[in-house]
Amino acid sequence: MQSLEAFAGGKLAALEAGSLRRTLRPTRRFADAIVERDGRRLVSFSCNDYLNLSQHPAVRAAAAEAALNYGAGAAASRLVTGDHPLLGDLEKRLARLKGTEAACLFGSGYMANLGVIPTFAGPGDLILVDALAHACIWAGAKLSGARVIAFVHNDMADLERILVAERAGVRHVLVATDGVFSMDGDLAPLDRLSDLCTRHDAWLLSDDAHGVGVLGEGRGSAALFPQAHIPLQMGTLSKALGSFGGYLCGSQAVVDLLKTRARTVVYATGLPPASAAAALAALDLIEAEPELTALPLARARAFTEAVGLPPAQSPIVPVIIGSATAALAASTRLEAEGFLVVAIRPPTVPDGTARLRLAFSAAHTETDIARLAGLVRQILAEVA
Ligand SMILES: *Cc1c(COP(=O)(O)O)cnc(C)c1O
């Protein structure tokens, strides 16, 4: 027991010394991107609730009604008794949105990648992962037992070089990328990835956690590349859809195999009915109001233009500061001005690229965006 305490204490001290220790800050969230911390109200640019749907009356009512009618939890794996009919309804809607034959729900986006990747790749296979892909893609790849190689971020020449060198020596190849990169906000070139995968018989997985609901009239980043063939389209219910859970959209055979083999489906409790009901209500709103889905990107573009940054490609805008200490100081200063903009530090992002990560929402006002842009311009001038 003493060695455990010493281990944890020593680790914490080292993280503290590098400005890398993280602590929780209790936060209440309200409509219109308002959050409350330590009794203070702030305008949040750090929630992934791009359409403000987690606070929408219809979405909240759907979740509440499902909880009242069907209970708070699913009580078992879907393969036992946890397959509430709302889950199948939601899968049909997700497949329709993505233009695939079928969909499989998971307990979260993280659990989706932990379940999907090892179902389709294992020892003797190769997984090629974009260097900036999300942590749960890496975790799924590691868990699979396949060999894993990183390719340079969005660098198709590097990916092709690896495919040419390695393809013949392995059984299957899976190429995994974020569709919208979570800490940089840029898009994967899904058309070129799809071409390379077709030519080298590799399977493309795109994680569109930050694309669904906010790009391609809500259908996600794949809709921006209509020629691309993406057989494994993963995403989350937890961001623009305002609920909780994850999914994989694909062919019927792919989905049927997941439902019988993916360990995070088989050995985990099904999604609560309330989460499915909330996501269904969110999809109703997204399909009824495609103009709503365009607002977060329009807000992000207004900000990048005002600051003089390259035009935003998604609702996520990184403001690279450099050191973790300076990024924390910038975040503290914005908080004093009434804005919540969380600093993102290594290991979430590469060393030396600690940053402010801004997530724009349909709920942000022009006034807030203009004032924040002015403050960020000052911060950038000082760290330059
Ligand atoms: C947030 C995120 C996930 C995880 O989704 P959860 O539903 O929050 O578990 C997966 N991939 C990417 C790219 C993400 O940004």
Side-chain angles (χ1 to χ4, degrees):
M1 277 313 275
Q2 252 173 355
S3 60
L4 173 62
E5 299 308 314
F7 170 77
K11 275 274 194 197
L12 287 170
L15 290 168
E16 189 82 55
S19 289
L20 296 177
R21 179 168 177 176
R22 301 164 186 226
T23 47
L24 296 174
R25 298 274 308 271
T27 304
R28 289 173 196 269
R29 298 181 55 251
F30 300 95
D32 300 328
I34 303 294
V35 298
E36 191 183 288
R37 281 187 160 183
D38 303 325
R40 269 191 79 215
R41 293 219 162 190
L42 304 165
V43 179
S44 172
F45 284 83
S46 289
C47 301
N48 298 316
D49 191 11
Y50 299 111
L51 303 173
N52 217 25
L53 293 182
S54 76
Q55 303 294 324
H56 193 288
V59 176
R60 295 163 64 146
E65 207 173 298
L68 288 173
N69 287 336
Y70 309 124
S77 161
R78 286 181 80 184
L79 292 168
V80 183
T81 59
D83 189 28
H84 191 278
L86 282 171
L87 274 56
D89 294 347
L90 176 56
E91 287 174 334
K92 285 200 191 74
R93 288 290 295 276
L94 289 166
R96 191 170 92 197
L97 184 78
K98 294 282 177 180
T100 60
E101 285 175 4
C104 178
L105 289 172
F106 289 84
S108 70
Y110 199 109
M111 283 172 65
N113 279 331
L114 287 191
V116 171
I117 297 173
T119 300
F120 296 106
D125 298 325
L126 176 64
I127 304 179
L128 304 178
V129 183
D130 185 287
L132 296 187
H134 192 265
C136 61
I137 291 182
W138 290 99
K142 215 175 227 181
L143 198 60
S144 74
R147 192 149 70 94
V148 183
I149 304 179
F151 61 92
V152 176
H153 173 55
N154 275 352
D155 186 331
M156 295 303 102
D158 191 47
L159 176 59
E160 182 160 31
R161 177 187 64 73
I162 303 170
L163 283 166
V164 167
E166 305 287 344
R167 181 67 189 95
V170 293
R171 187 178 52 163
H172 297 138
V173 177
L174 186 103
V175 173
T177 183
D178 290 13
V180 177
F181 285 87
S182 59
M183 295 299 136
D184 294 81
D186 55 339
L187 305 184
L190 293 171
D191 49 351
R192 290 155 67 210
L193 282 160
S194 158
D195 280 350
L196 276 178
C197 287
T198 304
R199 279 198 275 128
H200 294 275
D201 185 25
W203 304 332
L204 180 58
L205 180 150
S206 173
D207 174 339
D208 210 30
H210 295 280
V212 70
V214 292
L215 295 177
E217 296 198 323
R219 286 175 298 139
S221 61
L224 305 177
F225 300 93
Q227 304 306 323
H229 174 58
I230 309 165
L232 300 166
Q233 302 195 40
M234 174 270 167
T236 179
L237 310 176
S238 321
K239 288 166 182 167
L241 301 188
S243 178
F244 194 74
Y247 62 83
L248 189 286
C249 292
S251 69
Q252 192 67 53
V254 157
V255 165
D256 288 350
L257 184 62
L258 285 172
K259 287 180 180 170
T260 186
R261 294 290 288 189
R263 300 176 69 86
T264 51
V265 173
V266 177
Y267 298 108
T269 300
L271 207 58
S275 297
L280 280 163
L283 288 172
D284 285 343
L285 290 162
I286 285 170
E287 286 180 9
E289 299 176 48
E291 57 298 341
L292 172 70
T293 66
L295 288 178
L297 178 57
R299 305 270 192 266
R301 290 239 166 103
F303 175 83
T304 50
E305 193 179 327
V307 179
L309 295 169
Q313 296 177 40
S314 76
I316 300 168
V317 176
V319 176
I320 311 285
I321 303 290
S323 78
T325 318
L328 283 177
S331 172
T332 303
R333 183 157 146 204
L334 291 176
E335 189 166 330
E337 297 283 348
F339 294 117
L340 177 63
V341 182
V342 170
I344 307 286
R345 294 168 279 165
T348 306
V349 292
D351 277 331
T353 72
R355 65 195 64 187
L356 301 172
R357 172 190 179 274
L358 290 86
F360 287 86
S361 139
H364 290 137
T365 65
E366 277 174 29
T367 320
D368 283 335
I369 291 171
R371 202 163 75 79
L372 180 62
L375 292 164
V376 167
R377 264 203 316 266
Q378 279 175 25
I379 288 169
L380 283 175
E382 286 164 25
V383 297

